[in-house]
């Protein structure tokens, strides 16, 4: 697995909910999994950036031509084993940050 930090000009994406409400999300980091042959991204709402607790969301994604995250290509992680792997990567990242 390789971890990639987003380029400074591509550290945010805008997501829309079912009602069409848009919210800006900051990209925490991305990584690739050789086991699943996918790229993954961790996001959190920009509005909660200064909060004590931040809700982090994870998606798999298809990189654009530059290898970056494109909000239109985010896919939910539905396989429980795949989710466990993603959760383990996040746990490792957060324990390294402490």
């Amino acid at each position: 697995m390789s971890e990639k930090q987003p380029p400074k000009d591509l550290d945010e994406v805008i997501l829309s909910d079912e009602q069409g409400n848009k919210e800006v999300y900051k990209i925490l980091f991305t990584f690739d999994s050789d086991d699943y042959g996918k790229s993954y991204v961790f996001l959190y709402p920009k509005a909660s950036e200064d909060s004590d607790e931040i809700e982090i969301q994870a998606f798999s994604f298809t990189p654009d031509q530059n290898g970056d995250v494109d909000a239109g290509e985010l896919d939910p992680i539905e396989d429980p084993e795949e989710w466990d792997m993603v959760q383990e990567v996040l746990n490792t990242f957060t324990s390294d940050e402490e």
Side-chain angles (χ1 to χ4, degrees):
M1 277 184 264
S2 62
E3 186 177 308
K4 298 185 275 186
Q5 295 299 325
K8 290 298 176 199
D9 59 338
L10 295 174
D11 64 347
E12 297 179 351
V13 293
I14 298 172
L15 300 182
S16 299
D17 63 16
E18 295 81 26
Q19 291 79 34
N21 301 316
K22 296 179 190 263
E23 186 170 4
V24 177
Y25 282 78
K26 299 284 286 182
I27 297 173
L28 184 60
F29 71 95
T30 64
F31 72 97
D32 298 319
S33 168
D34 293 334
D35 292 340
Y36 289 93
K38 294 182 181 179
S39 297
Y40 298 88
V41 61
F42 289 103
L43 309 170
Y44 62 92
K46 184 176 182 177
S48 67
E49 195 168 27
D50 296 325
S51 300
D52 289 339
E53 291 188 27
I54 296 174
E55 180 183 332
I56 297 173
Q57 298 183 31
F59 297 93
S60 65
F61 72 97
T62 303
D64 65 13
Q65 306 90 303
N66 300 319
D68 297 322
V69 176
D70 177 353
E73 299 297 323
L74 298 180
D75 297 308
I77 301 166
E78 297 173 344
D79 176 30
E81 290 178 10
E82 184 179 7
W83 182 253
D84 288 345
M85 178 275 301
V86 169
Q87 185 69 44
E88 187 175 316
V89 170
L90 180 61
N91 290 343
T92 300
F93 178 80
T94 56
S95 68
D96 288 348
E97 291 290 307
E98 294 173 359

